[in-house]
Amino acid sequence: MNKDMTQIQVLKTAGPEANYDQFKEEFPDGECRYGVFDAEYTDPKTGGQRNKIVFYIWCPDSAKVRPKMIYASSKDELKKRLVGVATEVQASDKSEMEYSEVVERINRT
């Protein structure tokens, strides 16, 4: 979001060489964020490598109420504009973003 909380802006992009730990570092304590990650995982049924796009909404408990409300209310509109999103992760704590949890969520969809 811009500083006036009126427009969603891209803060950072990364190439395919970026890893998940680097991605998680972009979600600061005390501030809400959206994120999109191309998750690579092993399909448990076939054993083959797969990729799925995951949409994240990060609203930590330490964030102020107004940003939490704005992020929550604009999430669906943003998600509609993203093509190919396989699943969504809503997190308020970094433990909810563990890669194994994300892959498990992908496999349920």
Side-chain angles (χ1 to χ4, degrees):
M1 293 278 184
N2 63 2
K3 67 180 180 176
D4 298 327
M5 303 293 287
T6 58
Q7 187 177 33
I8 297 169
Q9 295 178 328
V10 175
L11 296 178
K12 185 172 183 177
T13 60
E17 72 284 349
N19 66 43
Y20 191 69
D21 289 332
Q22 293 167 328
F23 174 73
K24 276 182 29 177
E25 289 173 13
E26 297 300 322
F27 295 90
D29 291 333
E31 293 183 38
C32 299
R33 291 280 192 278
Y34 295 121
V36 177
F37 189 78
D38 188 5
E40 185 175 308
Y41 67 101
T42 302
D43 186 318
K45 295 175 186 164
T46 66
Q49 288 295 111
R50 300 281 184 261
N51 288 66
K52 296 283 183 176
I53 297 173
V54 182
F55 175 71
Y56 293 80
I57 179 168
W58 167 252
C59 287
D61 293 335
S62 57
K64 294 181 180 178
V65 173
R66 183 173 182 260
K68 285 182 183 181
M69 291 173 50
I70 291 171
Y71 272 78
S73 65
S74 57
K75 170 191 68 116
D76 289 335
E77 185 60 34
L78 174 60
K79 192 175 168 187
K80 279 187 225 174
R81 295 170 188 252
L82 299 172
V83 178
V85 172
T87 193
E88 175 183 316
V89 173
Q90 294 185 29
S92 60
D93 184 85
K94 295 279 174 117
S95 66
E96 297 169 322
M97 296 175 69
E98 290 300 319
Y99 200 67
S100 58
E101 297 287 326
V102 173
V103 170
E104 186 178 311
R105 187 180 296 240
I106 290 169
N107 286 326
R108 285 185 287 203
T109 58

